[in-house]
Amino acid sequence: MKIAMIGLGSMNGAILAGLLDSGVQADDVTATSRSAASAQDRSAQYGVQVLAEENQADANTAAVTGADVVFLGVKPYQIIDVCTELKEALKPGAVVVSVAAGVPTDKMEVALQQGQPVIRTMPNTPTSVGEGAIGLAAGTHASDEHVDLVSRLLSPVASVFPVPEDQINIIGAIGGSGPAFAFYLAELMATAAAEEGLDPQMAAEIAAKTLYGAGKMLVTSEEDASQLRANVTSPNGTTERSIAAFDEHGLAAAVRAAVEANIARAKELS
Ligand SMILES: NC(=O)C1=CN([C@@H]2O[C@H](COP(=O)(O)OP(=O)(O)OC[C@H]3O[C@@H](n4cnc5c(N)ncnc54)[C@H](O)[C@@H]3O)[C@@H](O)[C@H]2O)C=CC1
Ligand SMILES: O=C(O)[C@@H]1CCC=N1
């Protein structure tokens, strides 16, 4: 199976890293980027062919020629222009997989050849280390076989959640953006510990290892998040005071507002 990746930034790069680790052959992938310098860097980083628009105006159409699956990893505002650009070059059965926030499949379908299968995903960057969570919604012309093909490709590097398209933005708010929430929490934990007097480097390492370990427990334990939290929270102990401080300072409302703001922005992008 031949794979094309249009735009090889953070997200398509994360997917590519995961796919290569999972056994996809570098020879089966052609990617594109804007500048010649980034194409050279990315090619050295991943060992795949990366065509630069700066060197070759038809880089994107050349990359998708003969491809079976095409990942669109450009910014949301560029997706429709890229679909229009690729329209004539895509094989009729090639599956176009968008990773972009906000852009609905029907808008992509209008810009592509009639009948071109389109799948909209909402991935996240932990896909790069084989630990992604990916929401996936089929467009009008994507059959169950197309969904299976893309799910089989991605499932070695992520848990794949097929959903109706109107739920993709919700997955974006906790899955797509979620790693940033976790990284932000790590930053805040480390900063607070450093301000209390711990060596900053050590504080960062402890925050990272703690989130990693807690994440591993969340996905491997038979107990849910609430029970795992209860296991740490001794009655009248230290954790109880911290949870009370979170509640007092409105953590639940802050997370709710963050999710709502995320979904509102995804709607604006569409
Ligand atoms: N970064 C993340 O964690 C996530 C990003 N996404 C989506 O992924 C998409 C890309 O975001 P990032 O990877 O963060 O951005 P990025 O800026 O890191 O990557 C975009 C890449 O596209 C390239 N590019 C721009 N125009 C191009 C063109 N016409 N032809 C070929 N390549 C072109 C750029 O050179 C750049 O390498 C967005 O639509 C975003 O909504 C979705 C989920 C998570
Ligand atoms: O921030 C963004 O718009 C993209 C989509 C989800 C994560 N990053």
Side-chain angles (χ1 to χ4, degrees), residues 85-99:
E85 180 188 356
L86 300 181
K87 179 176 180 176
E88 305 294 339
L90 287 163
K91 284 203 296 196
V95 191
V96 177
V97 181
S98 166
V99 309

Side-chain angles (χ1 to χ4, degrees), residues 37-185:
S38 91
Q40 206 171 6
D41 286 354
R42 293 291 165 138
S43 182
Q45 182 179 357
Y46 297 111
V48 306
Q49 184 183 28
V50 185
L51 310 176
E53 278 196 314
E54 194 185 339
N55 290 337
Q56 187 180 343
D58 70 347
N60 287 341
T61 51
V64 304
T65 301
D68 303 293
V69 179
V70 177
F71 285 91
L72 304 186
V74 296
K75 293 291 185 191
Y77 75 90
Q78 300 172 303
I79 290 284
I80 299 303
D81 284 349
V82 166
C83 286
T84 305
E85 180 188 356
L86 300 181
K87 179 176 180 176
E88 305 294 339
L90 287 163
K91 284 203 296 196
V95 191
V96 177
V97 181
S98 166
V99 309
V103 187
T105 53
D106 57 357
K107 289 200 175 151
M108 295 173 61
E109 284 164 357
V110 168
L112 293 163
Q113 294 281 12
Q114 170 67 23
Q116 193 79 48
V118 171
I119 289 179
R120 179 174 165 198
T121 65
M122 179 42 68
N124 62 12
T125 54
T127 302
S128 63
V129 292
E131 300 290 354
I134 302 186
L136 182 153
T140 315
H141 311 297
S143 64
D144 289 350
E145 286 72 30
H146 295 125
V147 170
D148 278 355
L149 174 76
V150 174
S151 298
R152 267 188 282 115
L153 189 62
L154 294 172
S155 54
V157 294
S159 298
V160 178
F161 300 90
V163 288
E165 189 166 355
D166 62 3
Q167 293 183 5
I168 281 283
N169 288 346
I170 310 173
I171 293 183
I174 62 162
S177 299
F181 301 179
F183 300 139
Y184 194 25
L185 182 59

Side-chain angles (χ1 to χ4, degrees), residues 222-243:
E222 287 181 1
E223 295 178 320
D224 66 9
S226 153
Q227 183 57 48
L228 290 168
R229 173 163 65 90
N231 298 346
V232 182
T233 312
S234 309
N236 214 17
T238 58
T239 313
E240 196 175 86
R241 289 284 176 89
S242 289
I243 301 291

